[in-house]
Amino acid sequence: DPYNPVTTSSYLRESYANITFEGITQSCSNPILSLDNLTSNSASISWNAPDVSNFEYVLQETGGDIPSSGESIIETSIELSDLSQGLSYEFFVRSVCENEVTDWFSISFTPPPTGSIASDPIIIDSIPYSATDDTVNYGDDYTNSATGCNGSGSYLGGDDVVYLYQASQDMTLLVTLTPDNTWTGIYVYASAEDIGTACWIINSTNSAQVESSFELPVSSGSNYYFVISSFPSPQNISYSLSIEELLCGAPTELVTTEISDVSGNVSWSGLDDGTTYLIEMGDDEPADISESGTIIDGSSYEFNDLNSQTTYTVWLAAVCPDGSISALISTSFTTAITPVSYTHLTLPTKRIV
């Protein structure tokens, strides 16, 4: 009898078949809670308790005492707002029936900062856009399980941050990620649900500490989720992100032809008629090709006075109508061996008698 529990330590154990106990069933069912959504300042919680139409709830910081009473509610869900990022909460619910109430049942949660998860991303309001941050501020919420994609998904293994751009017009974006560490990656997804589970639109990953830059055509009305992460270790990376409209695309199909020991010819697929280009030769990517490059009106160029058996790297960019410069492309070639010259000598002959 739960109302008159046994107080003595001695008892008798027997086995009986088909015994029905009366008066100890619970007619007021316990609520089962679920955290349905969580953002940086809100939480959606629902619960289910069959045949119960009245409840009480309490929201308090984690670590407090068990509530003695709560606010009445007849709904089986609630939207909590004005929460504080990083503060741990505990939400309590109990069923209230005609003659009894259940125990309190609770669920705990901590609102993450904006950008931690795709349901609450950092919004890119306009282009151009730039940000400097560190993924350590956002936690590790995603890993990649998609297969058969173009490029590696391993760089989604560390702490990650999510940005969302909703395109207002058709255009091409130039996306540049400048990390302060190695093993970094940036991914672009079409939807929040795709992150970590489906292939990305485009990605750029680097094991070295180098800048990643790529062009991204966007369509008006479409969403683009940018996710920055790493291939642990490091677990987190500090970075600078820059997104701007690219008023003209980069030239394509930069190839080398007619390579000799002292010269090399390069050609490319150009853009609209009348587009000019900047070309430069050097081992490292030019800091500002508009200052150091040579202006070309056509779609080919010949380098002369080169050294034999030497590898050269060529950098090329288009000059946009507004004077800005497209993304750089490059190719490399190695000059040939200088041919050996032979001199034929004719020796005089002597007749022997």
Side-chain angles (χ1 to χ4, degrees):
D1 187 345
Y3 297 102
N4 294 287
V6 176
T7 58
T8 180
S9 60
S10 61
Y11 58 89
L12 177 66
R13 174 179 292 177
E14 294 288 349
S15 297
Y16 299 96
N18 301 320
I19 300 300
T20 301
F21 293 94
E22 296 182 355
I24 64 171
T25 60
Q26 180 177 319
S27 59
C28 195
S29 56
N30 296 328
I32 300 174
L33 283 75
S34 172
L35 179 62
D36 300 323
N37 189 43
L38 180 64
T39 72
S40 60
N41 58 10
S42 67
S44 299
I45 300 176
S46 62
W47 56 91
N48 178 51
D51 302 320
V52 178
S53 56
N54 293 281
F55 304 90
E56 288 182 352
Y57 75 91
V58 173
L59 176 66
Q60 63 185 37
E61 292 184 25
T62 300
D65 295 332
I66 299 297
S68 58
S69 63
E71 297 288 332
S72 297
I73 187 173
I74 60 173
E75 291 82 7
T76 56
S77 64
I78 191 171
E79 181 77 19
L80 304 172
S81 59
D82 298 325
L83 304 178
S84 299
Q85 293 181 8
L87 184 62
S88 296
Y89 293 92
E90 189 168 12
F91 181 80
F92 292 85
V93 171
R94 68 180 179 183
S95 300
V96 179
C97 300
E98 184 176 354
N99 297 317
E100 62 179 315
V101 295
T102 66
D103 289 336
W104 289 103
F105 292 83
S106 68
I107 191 168
S108 298
F109 60 90
T110 302
T114 297
S116 293
I117 51 180
S119 59
D120 187 29
I122 298 172
I123 301 298
I124 299 174
D125 290 318
S126 60
I127 301 297
Y129 178 85
S130 63
T132 300
D133 210 333
D134 194 309
T135 58
V136 72
N137 298 319
Y138 302 94
D140 187 357
D141 296 281
Y142 296 101
T143 55
N144 177 63
S145 61
T147 58
C149 305
N150 184 21
S152 172
S154 299
Y155 291 76
L156 198 62
D159 294 339
D160 29 57
V161 57
V162 184
Y163 294 82
L164 170 61
Y165 176 62
Q166 297 174 305
S168 58
Q169 64 184 54
D170 295 348
M171 60 179 166
T172 298
L173 300 178
L174 177 62
V175 181
T176 304
L177 176 69
T178 306
D180 290 337
N181 215 326
T182 56
W183 300 98
T184 59
I186 179 171
Y187 297 79
V188 183
Y189 291 92
S191 70
E193 295 75 19
D194 286 350
I195 299 176
T197 62
C199 288
W200 43 87
I201 299 172
I202 190 173
N203 77 333
S204 180
T205 59
N206 276 296
S207 59
Q209 184 182 334
V210 296
E211 181 179 273
S212 295
S213 183
F214 58 88
E215 297 178 19
L216 175 66
V218 298
S219 301
S220 178
S222 297
N223 292 335
Y224 299 88
Y225 288 84
F226 298 83
V227 184
I228 298 171
S229 189
S230 59
F231 186 171
S233 83
Q235 177 64 26
N236 65 284
I237 57 166
S238 56
Y239 64 90
S240 293
L241 174 66
S242 171
I243 304 176
E244 58 187 338
E245 182 180 2
L246 189 64
L247 298 180
C248 65
T252 59
E253 300 177 12
L254 178 61
V255 296
T256 57
T257 58
E258 302 176 17
I259 306 302
S260 73
D261 60 324
V262 293
S263 66
N265 187 281
V266 294
S267 62
W268 57 90
S269 294
L271 305 178
D272 297 335
D273 292 340
T275 299
T276 58
Y277 304 90
L278 290 164
I279 196 167
E280 181 176 337
M281 178 178 283
D283 293 334
D284 299 322
E285 180 177 331
D288 186 358
I289 197 172
S290 64
E291 295 290 336
S292 56
T294 300
I295 298 177
I296 304 297
D297 290 328
S299 56
S300 64
Y301 187 78
E302 183 176 13
F303 292 94
N304 294 297
D305 299 323
L306 305 180
N307 296 321
S308 65
Q309 291 184 274
T310 303
T311 299
Y312 294 92
T313 300
V314 178
W315 303 88
L316 181 72
V319 180
C320 304
D322 69 337
S324 61
I325 307 302
S326 76
L328 288 164
I329 61 173
S330 65
T331 190
S332 297
F333 66 88
T334 302
T335 51
I337 300 174
T338 300
V340 177
S341 298
Y342 294 94
T343 300
H344 297 277
L345 299 177
T346 302
L347 298 177
T349 59
K350 183 176 181 182
R351 185 174 180 180
I352 300 175
V353 178

